[in-house]
Amino acid sequence: MSGGLLVAGTTSDAGKSVVTAGICRWLVRQGVKVAPFKAQNMSLNSFVTKEGAEIGRAQAMQAQACRVEPTALMNPVLLKPGGERSSQVVLLGRPVGEMSARGYHGGRQQRLLGTVLDCLAELRGTYDAVICEGAGSPAEINLRRTDIVNMGIARNAGLPVLVVGDIDRGGVFASFFGTVALLSPEDQALVAGFLVNKFRGDASLLEPGLDMLHGLTGRRTYGVLPFRHGLGIDEEDGLRVSLRGTVRESNVAPPVGEDVLRVAVCAVPLMSNFTDVDALAAEPGVVVRFVDRAEELADADLVVVPGTRGTVRALEWLRERGLADALLRRAAEGRPVLGICGGFQVLGEHIEDEVESRRGHVPALGVLPVRVRFAPDKTLTRPAGQALGERVEGYEIHHGVAEVLGGEPFLDGCRVGQTWGTHWHGSLESDGFRRAFLREVAAASGRRFVPAPDTSFAALREEQLDRLGDLIEEHADTDALWRLIESGAPAALPFVPPGAPGVPG
C-alpha cells in the first residue's frame, strides 16, 4: 500500500487540521505507518524539529497523531506573515526571504511545486499512507493556476480529495455544491465526497439534505462528525481573528487550592506561538484570557507578553494602548510578568533591528537588563536545561540575539524580581517546571493557589489526539475511507456544471 488522501475544506477553519489529525490517529491505531503533509502553510505558530527545521505547529501535532517525529518534509513551505501584504518564506525549514503576496503568487509559488512534489514522493515512499491537508478552499479560482497545496498537489500526485465543511457556520450544503461546481472537470474528477464537521443534534435530520447533495453531485458523504468541545489542535493563523477577550479553554477540574490564578496574555500584533499558554490553561484553577487594554491587567496574577513576528511593532502597540505603562508599574510593584521570545525582547533595554522592522535603534521598556540585536540568520534550536530546580525543554525561533547584562539566569534569558524573560517557547509544557513557576506566581500574587500534582500536558495532548481518532472511527464510514486512501477517487464521477476553465496538471 502507498495510499494518500487530500483533506480539503469549504473554507478556512472548516476543520481540515483536526480531521487530518483524526484520520492519522485512526490509521496508526489500525497498524498503518502514516505521515501528515501540508505542502504550504500560512501560520505564525511554528515548531522546530529535531534537525532544526521550522514547520507549522499543526503539522507537528499531526505527526504526534501519527506517533512519528515531525520533519521538514511534512511542511516544505511555511509562510509567516509580517503584515497584510508580505510574508517570510520558509523553505524546507529555513527562511529564504520576504515576499509580497503578489510576488509569491506571481511566480515563486509555482516554482516551488517541484520541491513540494519531491517531498510528498519521499514520504509516500517511506510510509504506507500520507494524509495531506489543503489550505483555505480548493475553489479559490483566482489562485488555481499557481496552486501547490490544494488541487494543484492533488492533480500532480493523483490524490483523492475529501472536502470538509463546518455545518456550525451554516450553509454547508451550498458550500459543498459550490466548491465542486467551481472546479474544472479534471479537478472535479478527484473530489470523492464530503465530510460534515461540527454537527449539533440528531444526524438523521441531515439525511434528506445529504441524499439531495448526492443526487446533485454524484458524490457521497463519508461521515457526520458531531460538535465536541476542546478538540482543536494548535491553531495556524494568528492574524485571522481578533483574540481580544478570548478565554483559552481550561481544564474543567476545580482548583486544588482555595484560589484560582488569572493569566492575562497581551494580544500583540502578529502574535506568534501563542499556543505557549495552552499548558497554563490545562492546569486546574488557571484561567487564561487574551487582552488588549491596560485596565484588563489590573486583576491578573500573571501577565504574559507572547512572541510576535513584529517585535518593534508590538512595542509601539503596547505603548499606544497604555499596556507598556501598566507593565512597568507591575514590574515596579513586584507583580509577575513573563516575556517569551518577542515579548522577552520588548522587556529589554533596547533593540537594534535592521532585519525585521529595519528601524535601527529602538528603546525598549527597560525592565530587564538585556540588549537585543536582530541577526540575518534565524536561530532554530531545541534547548534543554534546568530552572527552578526542574528540567525544562523548549524550542527557539527568533532573529533577535539577546545580550544579557544582569539579573538572575532564567532559560538563557534572565529574571529581575518577578519579571521573567526567555526566548524559549514550549517551556511551560515541562510539567515540573510549570508547577514550580506557578507556585512562584501564586506566592508573589498572594493567592492560595496550589498546582495540581498530577497534570501531564503530554498525556492531555495524547488524550486529545485519541479523541480525534475516536471521532473518525465512530462517526465516519471508515471502510469507505480506507478504500479511498488505498485506491483513489471512484471512477466516472459526474461533472457538476458550470465548472471552471481547465488548468494543466
Side-chain angles (χ1 to χ4, degrees), residues 259-262 298-303 329-338 388 415-420 435-451:
D259 288 342
V260 299
L261 276 186
R262 295 172 177 82
D299 67 345
D301 302 304
L302 169 67
V303 174
R329 285 194 299 272
R330 286 187 68 90
E333 294 165 1
R335 302 179 66 197
V337 176
L338 172 63
L388 302 180
R415 169 190 182 178
V416 173
Q418 291 299 322
T419 301
W420 318 63
R435 287 192 277 268
F437 177 70
L438 289 176
R439 283 192 291 269
E440 290 255 356
V441 170
S445 303
R447 297 290 184 188
R448 290 172 293 184
F449 169 86
V450 179

Side-chain angles (χ1 to χ4, degrees), residues 4-5 158-163 185-194 214 217-222 479-495:
L5 174 70
L159 295 171
V161 178
L162 183 69
V163 180
E186 296 84 359
D187 287 350
Q188 286 193 23
L190 293 172
V191 178
F194 314 107
H214 184 272
T217 67
R219 289 158 175 85
R220 58 167 299 168
T221 297
Y222 284 76
D479 288 340
L481 197 57
W482 178 268
R483 289 193 298 272
L484 189 62
I485 293 167
E486 190 175 31
S487 305
L493 290 167
F495 172 69

Side-chain angles (χ1 to χ4, degrees), residues 7-325:
V7 178
T10 55
T11 62
S12 295
D13 204 32
K16 298 183 291 293
S17 295
V18 294
V19 167
T20 299
I23 292 174
C24 287
R25 179 49 62 101
W26 162 66
L27 283 172
V28 81
R29 294 196 306 209
Q30 311 309 307
V32 178
K33 188 180 179 185
V34 60
F37 179 78
K38 185 161 185 172
Q40 172 192 293
N41 195 352
M42 176 172 281
S43 179
L44 285 169
N45 286 331
S46 57
F47 182 76
V48 179
T49 67
K50 279 191 172 179
E51 70 267 31
E54 185 180 8
I55 66 172
R57 276 196 66 95
Q59 280 61 66
M61 284 292 293
Q62 289 162 356
Q64 186 177 342
C66 297
R67 297 181 178 142
V68 299
E69 274 294 326
T71 73
L73 294 174
M74 297 171 184
N75 179 207
V77 181
L78 173 64
L79 305 178
K80 302 195 72 175
E84 301 213 350
R85 297 188 176 216
S86 68
S87 294
Q88 183 181 65
V89 181
V90 178
L91 178 62
L92 294 175
R94 296 287 172 181
V96 294
E98 298 278 336
M99 188 165 288
S100 69
R102 180 178 292 276
Y104 185 68
H105 291 287
R108 177 65 179 269
Q109 185 180 33
Q110 190 65 15
R111 292 196 296 273
L112 295 174
L113 179 61
T115 300
V116 163
L117 291 171
D118 288 345
C119 291
L120 178 56
E122 187 171 341
L123 289 174
R124 295 183 82 178
T126 305
Y127 292 88
D128 298 329
V130 179
I131 308 303
C132 308
E133 180 188 343
S137 162
E140 307 286 359
I141 55 178
N142 56 315
L143 303 176
R144 175 60 186 90
R145 288 191 175 276
T146 58
D147 171 47
I148 64 170
V149 65
N150 289 307
M151 300 313 300
I153 196 79
R155 284 271 296 282
N156 278 280
L159 295 171
V161 178
L162 183 69
V163 180
V164 177
D166 179 359
I167 197 169
D168 201 45
R169 295 182 173 193
V172 74
F173 292 115
S175 298
F176 282 145
F177 181 86
T179 296
V180 178
L182 280 176
L183 300 178
S184 69
E186 296 84 359
D187 287 350
Q188 286 193 23
L190 293 172
V191 178
F194 314 107
L195 187 73
V196 177
N197 192 29
K198 298 183 186 176
F199 181 71
R200 304 172 190 253
D202 183 352
S204 66
L205 298 176
L206 276 184
E207 289 176 5
L210 299 177
D211 290 342
M212 188 176 295
L213 182 66
H214 184 272
L216 288 167
T217 67
R219 289 158 175 85
R220 58 167 299 168
T221 297
Y222 284 76
V224 177
L225 307 184
F227 183 92
R228 291 285 187 269
H229 285 285
L231 280 186
I233 63 174
D234 294 356
E235 289 99 330
E236 293 190 343
D237 194 346
L239 285 178
R240 183 179 46 78
V241 293
S242 169
L243 288 172
R244 188 198 174 284
T246 298
V247 177
R248 298 303 272 179
E249 188 156 344
S250 301
N251 195 306
V252 294
V256 175
E258 297 180 47
D259 288 342
V260 299
L261 276 186
R262 295 172 177 82
V263 179
V265 184
C266 297
V268 297
L270 300 175
M271 184 164 44
S272 62
N273 286 66
F274 54 84
T275 47
D276 281 332
V277 300
D278 285 349
L280 294 177
E283 282 285 345
V286 177
V287 179
V288 178
R289 60 179 179 155
F290 290 87
V291 303
D292 65 358
R293 293 197 298 238
E295 57 268 28
E296 294 175 298
L297 304 189
D299 67 345
D301 302 304
L302 169 67
V303 174
V304 178
V305 188
T308 172
R309 252 279 282 154
T311 300
V312 171
R313 180 175 170 186
L315 180 59
E316 292 172 340
W317 181 88
L318 290 167
R319 285 178 167 138
E320 288 166 1
R321 291 177 171 263
L323 286 158
D325 288 337

